[in-house]
Amino acid sequence: MALIYIVEDDANIREIETIALSNSGHEVLAFENAASFYKKLETLLPDLLVLDIMLPDEDGYAVLKKLRSRTETR
C-alpha cells in the first residue's frame, strides 16, 4: 500500500489519523511540526501527505507552497 505522511500538531488527531490509515493497510509516519516533516522528506518521499493548516512552526499553506515549488515534490 501507500506511504502516507501526516503533519498534525494535535496529538489526538494525529493518533486517530495514524490508526485509521494503518488499519487500512498503509504505512504511516506522523509528524507534529513542519521542521520534523522536512527533515524526513530529505530521505524518503511519501505517496500522500495529510497536512494540517495551523501548525506551530509554519502554516500548512506555506508548507504546500514549498512542496509545489520543488520538482521532486510537485
Side-chain angles (χ1 to χ4, degrees):
M1 287 276 169
L3 171 60
I4 301 173
Y5 286 178
I6 297 170
V7 185
E8 170 62 63
D9 61 320
D10 185 303
N12 293 324
I13 295 171
R14 192 172 58 245
E15 181 180 10
I16 290 167
E17 291 173 340
T18 300
I19 291 169
L21 292 168
S22 295
N23 286 344
S24 295
H26 300 289
E27 182 180 352
V28 179
L29 294 177
F31 307 92
E32 63 182 310
N33 56 47
S36 59
F37 161 69
Y38 287 136
K39 186 173 181 169
K40 185 63 177 178
L41 196 62
E42 293 173 6
T43 60
L44 186 61
L45 294 176
D47 298 302
L48 180 72
L49 172 63
V50 178
L51 180 61
D52 186 18
I53 298 302
M54 297 177 64
L55 297 168
D57 56 346
E58 184 175 2
D59 80 45
Y61 292 117
V63 172
L64 185 58
K65 186 175 181 178
K66 285 181 185 178
L67 294 174
R68 286 183 173 170
S69 71
R70 296 175 55 193
T71 304
E72 62 274 4
T73 55
R74 189 173 304 145

